[in-house]
Amino acid sequence: MFDNQTILITGATGSWGHELVKQLLEKNPKEVRIFSRNESSQVDMQRQFFHPKLRFIIGDIKDKDSLYQATELVDYVFHLAALKHVPVCEDNPMEALKTNVLGTQNVVEAAIAHSVKKVVYISTDKAANPSNFYGLTKAMGERLIQHANTLPTKTRFVCVRGGNVLGTNGSVIHVFKHQMQTKGEIGITHKDMTRFFLTLEDAIKLLFKATYESYGGETFVMKMPTCRILDLAYVLMDDVGLQDVKIRELGIRPGEKMHELLFSEYESQNTVSYDENYYVILPYIDIPGLRDAYKEYKPVQLKNYISSEGLMTKEELSELLKKGGFLS
């Protein structure tokens, strides 16, 4: 699919982008364009890969002109760019709106203008029944992506929803390790809080699955392991051999949920079991041909998909962290 193709990745200098570029370069693309607004991150990435098929473009998805130029002659777009931290979006709602919503609409329009084959939009579990401004903006981005499939264009648009990716920049693993080393304590918001987790490699599998097999308009969801944040803290403490680390409960921050959803009770009515590793959420809007494409798949037998159910044991969590290379 990607052989001799030109691919644009917005917001590609983060952890998702690095792994996506690494795997895309193995698929013999014609060119991979890295589109982001951080000059320093681009220079670091350029030095790390030093690959002739990479093209680095400074730009912001809020700027239509730079985005339109970057999308010229592109075959596939992976839309990763977003403001992603819950507290940042709560404190700067207008910036979150401009980047995550208006920026996504700019991506849609640029892709249509240049007859891109497919756009893959990376969303989050926080978009399911959103309780914070970040989740709300990502849910709105999903709706824009879905609606784009009703427009008179051959470009197809698809969403993926991910959980927390282990080891990404600013992830809880790095935060906990830093706190243990510098303060001798770990701060968690609530001892019963749970989250979905997946490895970076699995996150990219999710992107490729949606790219290869989507019809257009649906949302792909990977079946993910879940854990208590407190158990994660204990496993990391055991790994470094520290038993006297203090656990400090900070309280839930504005907009945070105790447990996350990957699809809500409302969405479960329109969700099918795709295979042993994936669910697919179908939109309520009418997209010609989409329902027929999934008519052979069985509806899910879940009320919702919530992180408080099917929790990993500490042993299972330890194995997952070892798989990701986060334990010694």
Side-chain angles (χ1 to χ4, degrees):
M1 174 176 274
F2 298 116
D3 185 64
N4 201 35
Q5 302 291 290
T6 298
I7 301 144
L8 172 68
I9 310 173
T10 71
T13 55
S15 303
W16 281 67
H18 272 70
E19 183 65 26
L20 177 57
V21 167
K22 175 185 170 183
Q23 294 194 32
L24 280 172
L25 289 175
E26 297 171 355
K27 300 180 185 298
N28 193 37
K30 181 178 181 180
E31 182 178 72
V32 179
R33 299 178 186 177
I34 309 301
F35 183 86
S36 73
R37 59 190 181 185
N38 191 314
E39 177 192 13
S40 298
S41 296
Q42 285 203 11
V43 171
D44 290 343
M45 191 173 184
Q46 193 168 11
R47 289 170 177 166
Q48 177 183 336
F49 282 95
F50 198 66
H51 199 287
K53 290 187 177 181
L54 293 186
R55 178 183 169 195
F56 291 84
I57 305 169
I58 296 291
D60 193 316
I61 58 172
K62 292 182 289 188
D63 179 2
K64 283 186 178 182
D65 292 337
S66 64
L67 186 58
Y68 270 53
Q69 291 173 14
T71 312
E72 189 172 3
L73 301 178
V74 163
D75 297 293
Y76 295 94
V77 173
F78 290 96
H79 178 29
L80 277 64
L83 290 184
K84 299 173 183 176
H85 290 272
V86 170
V88 171
C89 293
E90 291 297 305
D91 293 340
N92 303 273
M94 282 307 300
E95 289 304 313
L97 178 71
K98 286 187 283 187
T99 298
N100 296 356
V101 181
L102 301 182
T104 296
Q105 182 59 25
N106 288 342
V107 170
V108 168
E109 293 176 7
I112 291 174
H114 292 292
S115 301
V116 170
K117 294 175 183 175
K118 188 168 284 187
V119 175
V120 181
Y121 172 77
I122 288 71
S123 190
T124 168
D125 49 9
K126 293 172 179 61
N129 195 19
S131 63
N132 51 57
F133 202 80
Y134 167 59
L136 183 60
T137 61
K138 294 300 286 185
M140 292 174 72
E142 286 185 3
R143 295 300 177 91
L144 291 173
I145 290 293
Q146 292 168 4
H147 178 263
N149 292 278
T150 68
L151 301 176
T153 174
K154 292 184 179 180
T155 304
R156 297 290 86 192
F157 298 83
V158 61
C159 302
V160 302
R161 270 192 199 160
N164 296 273
V165 180
L166 293 168
T168 53
N169 296 333
S171 79
V172 67
I173 291 179
H174 298 314
V175 171
F176 283 176
K177 285 186 174 182
H178 179 74
Q179 289 176 345
M180 283 191 290
Q181 293 166 358
T182 60
K183 300 179 181 179
E185 68 175 30
I186 289 177
I188 67 172
T189 52
H190 195 286
K191 291 183 178 180
D192 292 325
M193 184 171 282
T194 64
R195 288 294 181 266
F196 291 101
F197 284 98
L198 73 165
T199 65
L200 197 50
E201 291 77 9
D202 284 340
I204 304 309
K205 284 181 184 177
L206 173 60
L207 299 192
F208 286 157
K209 183 81 169 181
T211 308
Y212 295 149
E213 301 182 23
S214 61
Y215 180 88
E218 68 271 58
T219 300
F220 275 71
V221 174
M222 180 177 278
K223 298 175 184 178
M224 299 179 203
T226 70
C227 77
R228 284 199 311 160
I229 300 300
L230 182 61
D231 288 339
L232 175 62
Y234 283 140
V235 169
L236 293 174
M237 287 163 53
D238 290 342
D239 181 59
V240 297
L242 296 175
Q243 302 301 325
D244 57 349
V245 174
K246 180 182 177 183
I247 301 291
R248 188 158 61 93
E249 199 162 355
L250 306 173
I252 297 177
R253 297 175 296 183
E256 273 194 319
K257 293 179 182 177
M258 184 73 75
H259 311 293
E260 289 289 0
L261 292 168
L262 272 168
F263 56 78
S264 66
E265 184 175 350
Y266 173 74
E267 291 171 321
S268 70
Q269 303 169 46
N270 247 25
T271 301
V272 299
S273 255
Y274 189 65
D275 58 28
E276 62 180 9
N277 294 316
Y278 295 90
Y279 298 114
V280 171
I281 307 169
L282 302 177
Y284 276 85
I285 62 172
D286 181 35
I287 297 173
L290 179 59
R291 296 273 169 184
D292 285 342
Y294 286 93
K295 64 183 179 181
E296 302 299 327
Y297 293 90
K298 294 181 179 179
V300 296
Q301 300 301 308
L302 297 172
K303 180 180 179 181
N304 55 29
Y305 191 14
I306 191 166
S307 64
S308 60
E309 298 178 1
L311 294 171
M312 286 184 285
T313 64
K314 290 180 185 177
E315 291 74 21
E316 290 169 333
L317 178 55
S318 180
E319 286 301 313
L320 180 65
L321 293 177
K322 285 178 184 176
K323 178 184 174 182
F326 304 112
L327 297 185
S328 57

